[in-house]
Amino acid sequence: MITRRLCLRNLVESFRLGSSMSKLGCRYNLAFLSSSSLPQAREQFVYSDDESADVDWDNLGFGLVPTDYMYIMKCAKEGNFEQGQLNRYGKVELSPSAGVLNYGQGLFEGIKACRKEDGRLLLFRPDQNAIRMKIGAERMCMPSPSVDQFVDAVKQTVLANKRWVPPPGKGSLYVRPLLMGSGPVLGLAPSPEHTFLVYASPVCNYFKEGFAPLNLYVEDEFDRASPGGTGGVKAISNYAPVLKAQIRAKNRGFSDVLYLDTVNKRYVEEVSCCNIFIVKGNMIATPATNGTILAGVTRRSIIEIAGDHGYQVEERRVAVDELMDADEVFCTGTAVGVASVGSITYHNTKVEFRTGAKTVSAELYSDLVGIQKGLSEDKKGWIVEID
Ligand code: COI
């Protein structure tokens, strides 16, 4: 049954949609309400119990599934972000000379919301994404929402799209906060207005491989990030430049690309969309966040969990030779989760790594997922419950 009960009681009255409006009618009638009409009625949201959206939960990948609502909050030059509001999910209007369109002044984040067996909705460390956005905003000369504003917006977006949170075991709701220069500029300068927007989409596995190990290609022609640049923050401008290398690698049958440092072309940096770890005996190493590597929330969490398990965890430079000599390699990221790497190809040499249920990555992933899905006790206070 797909009937939807996300009704806006007072909206129904104020728009005189008729007393005969059924639950099903509510679903379709809401679709033609303009976004500008919603803010006044925001306080009157009555959220559905647990009516599921019309999604084939068994075949979710990582493609966009448009949901019902997005959250928007604006900030005029040097001011604070004003009260944000939920709007119907849909197109946004931007000046052709918006800073984000012309000069790439923008940041994004990714957070997952999971549904527990008892129906409760859980977020994993959203404050860490808020802090990372603040750091990124400073680098990109943008104002940023406070941590509370950020987390509140994420919670509101998840609640308003509750029916799109996959059932337990079928994936999660991926929440995408954006911060962008939305005001007009012509000469190169910070935008006079900024918009914080949060939308969401149900997702499951990021890679088409599903849980199968990845086959990575070490890129030594194209660079991802240089010292002094923006590789360490989640700037939108870090991502389009890697598409060329990614498409080329995928066309050659690889899952994704692993980048090297731009100075020595010798040290491992990160994959297009996730951090990388190597395992050798009891030692786990990952490239240190020195300004060119994204400080992943999953990366940081895995480092902590691995330390708790008694592994010797090292954040330092990892030479490509050391990578090729590892017992095990794995990637971490919000979208990716923890993905084991089956092989790496570098200069026409392909090396295979240990994979499977008895690996270090499987052990760490199981701990992480247990916390994220509310299956194990959250001793670290990483979970934020949405109520
Ligand atoms: C995430 O893991 O949330 C990311 O931002 C990666 C993105 C390219 C899908």
Side-chain angles (χ1 to χ4, degrees):
M1 190 174 75
I2 316 160
T3 311
R4 182 174 158 219
R5 273 191 268 152
L6 183 62
C7 296
L8 301 170
R9 239 186 241 137
N10 289 16
L11 253 188
V12 170
E13 280 165 28
S14 54
F15 284 88
R16 290 182 171 72
L17 293 178
S19 54
S20 63
M21 192 166 142
S22 65
K23 285 174 185 171
L24 193 62
C26 170
R27 176 181 182 202
Y28 294 107
N29 284 329
L30 280 177
F32 62 72
L33 298 176
S34 75
S35 58
S36 59
S37 62
L38 281 166
Q40 302 89 329
R42 195 167 63 85
E43 302 307 324
Q44 284 87 42
F45 269 120
V46 177
Y47 297 108
S48 70
D49 298 332
D50 249 342
E51 299 286 357
S52 185
D54 187 14
V55 174
D56 178 1
W57 299 120
D58 292 321
N59 288 299
L60 259 187
F62 203 90
L64 180 73
V65 178
T67 58
D68 298 325
Y69 294 96
M70 59 188 185
Y71 182 94
I72 297 183
M73 182 164 73
K74 285 188 186 285
C75 175
K77 198 172 186 176
E78 287 167 22
N80 294 319
F81 277 89
E82 65 200 30
Q83 178 68 48
Q85 59 205 22
L86 286 164
N87 290 248
R88 286 294 298 186
Y89 176 84
K91 294 183 176 153
V92 289
E93 198 170 274
L94 279 178
S95 160
S97 61
V100 66
L101 297 179
N102 291 258
Y103 299 123
Q105 201 187 16
L107 291 164
F108 75 94
E109 279 297 331
I111 302 159
K112 278 179 176 167
C114 289
R115 187 189 291 278
K116 264 188 88 166
E117 287 290 349
D118 63 9
R120 280 185 288 164
L121 302 178
L122 310 177
L123 289 169
F124 184 70
R125 311 187 77 179
D127 57 321
Q128 297 301 304
N129 297 85
I131 292 167
R132 188 168 66 185
M133 180 168 269
K134 278 190 112 30
I135 294 168
E138 201 276 324
R139 176 66 180 82
M140 301 290 282
C141 300
M142 295 192 278
S144 56
S146 69
V147 172
D148 284 349
Q149 283 175 319
F150 181 103
V151 174
D152 179 58
V154 169
K155 283 181 174 177
Q156 285 197 46
T157 307
V158 174
L159 262 188
N161 294 301
K162 185 176 177 182
R163 72 193 185 103
W164 299 93
V165 185
K170 301 291 183 189
S172 52
L173 187 72
Y174 182 77
V175 184
R176 175 52 70 82
L178 299 173
L179 181 62
M180 53 192 160
S182 48
V185 278
L186 192 55
L188 180 58
S191 171
E193 180 207 76
H194 290 85
T195 299
F196 176 66
L197 187 155
V198 188
Y199 70 92
S201 173
V203 297
C204 196
N205 289 325
Y206 182 78
F207 288 107
K208 71 170 174 29
E209 285 83 348
F211 289 110
L214 307 177
N215 298 304
L216 299 180
Y217 177 78
V218 179
E219 175 62 55
D220 62 358
E221 184 187 343
F222 294 109
D223 295 332
R224 178 187 171 271
S226 308
T230 58
V233 299
K234 218 158 169 60
I236 59 171
S237 45
N238 292 341
Y239 291 82
V242 302
L243 292 175
K244 182 115 183 152
Q246 191 194 49
I247 290 167
R248 192 172 66 174
K250 286 192 175 183
N251 286 341
R252 292 178 185 164
F254 296 101
S255 320
D256 213 323
V257 174
L258 173 60
Y259 293 91
L260 297 179
D261 77 286
T262 59
V263 178
N264 305 289
K265 291 277 185 192
R266 181 169 166 226
Y267 298 101
V268 173
E269 296 258 299
E270 63 182 77
V271 180
S272 316
C273 59
C274 47
N275 296 115
I276 191 139
F277 286 74
I278 64 164
V279 181
K280 185 82 178 173
N282 190 50
M283 185 275 301
I284 300 181
T286 190
T289 48
N290 57 359
T292 58
I293 288 157
L294 189 77
V297 177
T298 313
R299 172 188 178 279
R300 174 60 41 211
S301 309
I302 284 291
I303 287 173
E304 229 182 288
I305 292 172
D308 295 346
H309 279 250
Y311 290 102
Q312 177 191 326
V313 188
E314 299 174 4
E315 293 179 72
R316 58 168 169 81
R317 294 212 288 198
V318 177
V320 68
D321 296 342
E322 188 183 1
L323 165 84
M324 301 302 268
D325 188 43
D327 298 335
E328 212 183 301
V329 178
F330 63 92
C331 299
T332 63
T334 299
V336 166
V338 176
S340 107
V341 176
S343 79
I344 294 190
T345 301
Y346 174 55
H347 285 166
N348 293 323
T349 302
K350 179 176 177 179
V351 172
E352 298 198 339
F353 304 98
R354 189 172 62 204
T355 57
K358 297 230 157 64
T359 52
V360 173
S361 64
E363 179 191 11
L364 303 178
Y365 183 48
S366 137
D367 261 30
L368 178 74
V369 162
I371 299 171
Q372 288 176 331
K373 295 188 174 171
L375 302 171
S376 45
E377 195 189 340
D378 173 28
K379 292 185 185 146
K380 296 177 184 294
W382 283 348
I383 295 298
V384 173
E385 193 177 321
I386 305 176
D387 38 32

